[in-house]
């Protein structure tokens, strides 16, 4: 969306209403081609796995007793995660995406939907092309229905007719978009389990950045974030979700899209102004080391000898 719809990210194209859908369509078909290539040529010899990594927040209805809010929350997930996962695991775009984009395209007087279609052969070719599902997850939104006026220029953002809200009490240690809402992760993982046949899951990205420079390397909020989110993965495992591995995002501070070096996700602080780029461990390093060595939460009562 940011590369082909709003132009915020590279390649900076502003193809309103259709650019993101076309780019995604190519990604999904290309992913399937790579999976089949590996499956036919290398799998027997190497016994490796090919999957896709998708990043998605969780959408929670503002009022869980309201059908319109529940439907809006469902659309939030389907327009984010389902957009890519549904073709790969179920053979086509989510019905709600096809319905909403198709209807809005017709209202605009377009002969065909701005959401591309897969042929029958493509659906068969794409379905099942993932040996595992990589999941990047950072935050949650409350969701409710919001109708955008018809005269507004069409876009991926307005196609799903919803508004995203946050709870002002949620911790927001880093950028404006990243609130710490651990319980949303368990719900997302359970959604994947029920929607896509409980696939093997690798958590490929999960973490929080800071925008404030902390010279004491005292990232207590990152420790609390990691603790909360990893604990929700543990609960999801107990729910029967097939989570195989977890990766904290990220090991080092690095170049963050159009934010450059101003947002720091790293467990290690990098001094970018020094030509040698020295690395300094933040407080979260020690905490994460303990989790890794214990392969879980260390027993707080255990005395280290």
């Amino acid at each position: 969306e940011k590369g082909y719809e709003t132009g915020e990210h590279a390649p900076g194209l502003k193809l309103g209403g259709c650019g993101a859908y076309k780019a995604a369509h190519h990604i999904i078909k290309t992913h399937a081609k790579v999976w089949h290539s590996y499956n036919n040529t290398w799998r027997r010899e190497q016994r490796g796995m090919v999957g896709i990594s998708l990043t998605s927040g969780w959408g929670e209805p503002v009022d869980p007793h309201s059908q319109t809010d529940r439907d809006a929350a469902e659309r939030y997930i389907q327009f984010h995660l389902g957009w890519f996962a549904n073709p790969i695991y179920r053979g086509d775009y989510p019905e709600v995406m096809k319905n909403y984009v198709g209807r809005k395209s017709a209202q605009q007087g377009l002969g065909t939907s701005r959401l591309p279609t897969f042929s029958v052969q493509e659906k068969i070719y794409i379905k099942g092309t993932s040996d595992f599902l990589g999941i990047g997850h950072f935050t949650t939104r409350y969701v409710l229905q919001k109708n955008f006026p018809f005269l507004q220029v069409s876009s991926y953002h307005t196609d799903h007719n919803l508004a995203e809200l946050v709870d002002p009490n949620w911790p927001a240690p880093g950028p404006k978009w990243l609130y710490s809402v651990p319980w949303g992760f368990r719900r997302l993982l359970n959604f994947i389990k029920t929607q896509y046949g409980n696939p093997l899951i690798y958590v490929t990205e999960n973490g929080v950045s800071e925008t404030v420079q902390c010279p004491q390397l005292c990232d207590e909020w990152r420790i609390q974030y990691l603790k909360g989110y990893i604990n929700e993965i543990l609960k999801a495992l107990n729910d029967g979700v097939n989570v195989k591995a977890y990766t904290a995002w990220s090991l080092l501070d690095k170049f963050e899209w159009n934010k450059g070096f101003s947002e720091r996700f790293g467990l290690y602080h990098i001094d970018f102004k020094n030509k040698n780029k020295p690395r300094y461990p933040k407080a979260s390093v020690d905490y994460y080391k303990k989790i890794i060595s214990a392969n879980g939460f260390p027993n707080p009562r255990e005395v280290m000898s």
Side-chain angles (χ1 to χ4, degrees), residues 178-241:
L178 210 174
Y179 291 79
S180 179
V181 195
W183 53 261
F185 203 5
R186 182 185 184 184
R187 297 186 187 198
L188 178 66
L189 291 168
N190 272 281
F191 176 88
I192 292 166
K193 175 190 169 192
T194 55
Q195 286 276 315
Y196 309 126
N198 203 14
L200 178 64
I201 295 172
Y202 287 88
V203 178
T204 47
E205 285 188 29
N206 174 245
V208 65
S209 62
E210 73 256 26
T211 49
V212 181
Q213 286 298 313
C214 186
Q216 290 81 33
L217 305 168
C218 49
D219 58 345
E220 178 61 31
W221 64 86
R222 183 173 284 108
I223 291 171
Q224 293 307 316
Y225 181 99
L226 293 170
K227 184 178 184 179
Y229 276 76
I230 292 169
N231 194 36
E232 292 298 318
I233 298 171
L234 193 57
K235 293 176 188 175
L237 279 165
N238 291 333
D239 297 334
V241 181

Side-chain angles (χ1 to χ4, degrees), residues 8-41:
E8 292 171 64
H9 290 175
L13 301 179
K14 297 180 181 180
L15 307 172
C18 59
Y21 296 133
K22 283 183 178 176
H25 201 67
H26 289 306
I27 288 169
I28 294 162
K29 291 204 289 185
T30 308
H31 162 78
K33 189 161 189 175
V34 171
W35 187 91
H36 282 286
S37 172
Y38 185 84
N39 195 51
N40 296 335
T41 311

